[in-house]
Amino acid sequence: MKIAIYPGTFDPVTNGHFDLIRRAACMFDQIIVGVAESPSKKTLFTLEERVELLEETCADLPNVTVKGFSGLLVDFATQNQATILIRGLRTTMDFEYEFGLTTMYRRLKPELESLFLTPSEEFAFLSSTLVREVAIHGGEVDTFVPQNVYAAIKTKLKA
């Protein structure tokens, strides 16, 4: 059974993230969406909220599970018996950053293979940071995120 992990902070999960999850779900037996705690980042949503939003978003994909984690990604992959790491690449800057990470992952866990996916054209510009900034400043983000995430953003920003 081929188990792949798609890790990220997902603050918030975007339609671009979901596009990659959906496409990866067609390629592998099981996809684990690993939601990183990321204590160094100031997130809009808590880890628990991000996991819940992703579980709702991915509910129609039977071979996708969502798990929160902290610590090293390679340790999370080992705990979940994953041999494939899925990463999205939007730009050449993403490639350079991911290439460095992949080299480190290979040193720490040689059997963990990285697979890079590019976004569908309509999502190539999307990032969680951009969506979050637009939303914080009152812009509409309903076309950039799943509807459950849009509702959660509106609720969170009203609070």
Side-chain angles (χ1 to χ4, degrees):
M1 187 157 102
K2 290 286 183 188
I3 301 172
I5 289 183
Y6 178 38
T9 306
F10 304 107
D11 186 50
V13 60
T14 68
N15 289 335
H17 292 130
F18 185 60
D19 174 59
L20 289 183
I21 294 166
R22 194 174 51 247
R23 289 167 43 212
C26 295
M27 293 184 230
F28 301 101
D29 300 314
Q30 183 180 3
I31 302 293
I32 299 169
V33 179
V35 184
E37 186 173 33
S38 299
S40 63
K41 293 184 178 180
K42 185 173 167 74
T43 59
L44 179 63
F45 294 102
T46 67
L47 176 62
E48 293 77 19
E49 290 169 330
R50 289 179 279 136
V51 167
E52 184 178 326
L53 288 169
L54 270 156
E55 287 173 339
E56 292 169 5
T57 300
C58 299
D60 294 346
L61 301 172
N63 63 332
V64 174
T65 57
V66 180
K67 297 180 180 184
F69 76 97
S70 61
L72 290 175
L73 175 58
V74 293
D75 293 338
F76 182 68
T78 300
Q79 292 162 4
N80 288 282
Q81 300 170 339
T83 57
I84 297 162
L85 176 64
I86 297 169
R87 298 299 292 161
L89 295 178
R90 293 167 304 184
T91 66
T92 55
M93 287 175 49
D94 284 350
F95 175 78
E96 288 182 22
Y97 176 74
E98 293 296 337
F99 188 80
L101 285 178
T102 298
T103 303
M104 178 58 80
Y105 298 148
R106 193 171 286 135
R107 289 287 187 123
L108 297 173
K109 186 173 174 63
E111 62 275 17
L112 183 63
E113 193 62 54
S114 294
L115 175 69
F116 298 109
L117 296 176
T118 58
S120 296
E121 186 176 309
E122 73 246 52
F123 305 123
F125 70 96
L126 269 182
S127 73
S128 292
T129 303
L130 183 59
V131 168
R132 198 170 51 247
E133 286 298 311
V134 170
I136 287 170
H137 294 290
E140 284 300 320
V141 296
D142 60 316
T143 59
F144 307 137
V145 296
Q147 286 306 301
N148 65 313
V149 176
Y150 177 66
I153 291 169
K154 296 289 271 188
T155 300
K156 180 70 80 166
L157 294 178
K158 283 181 184 175

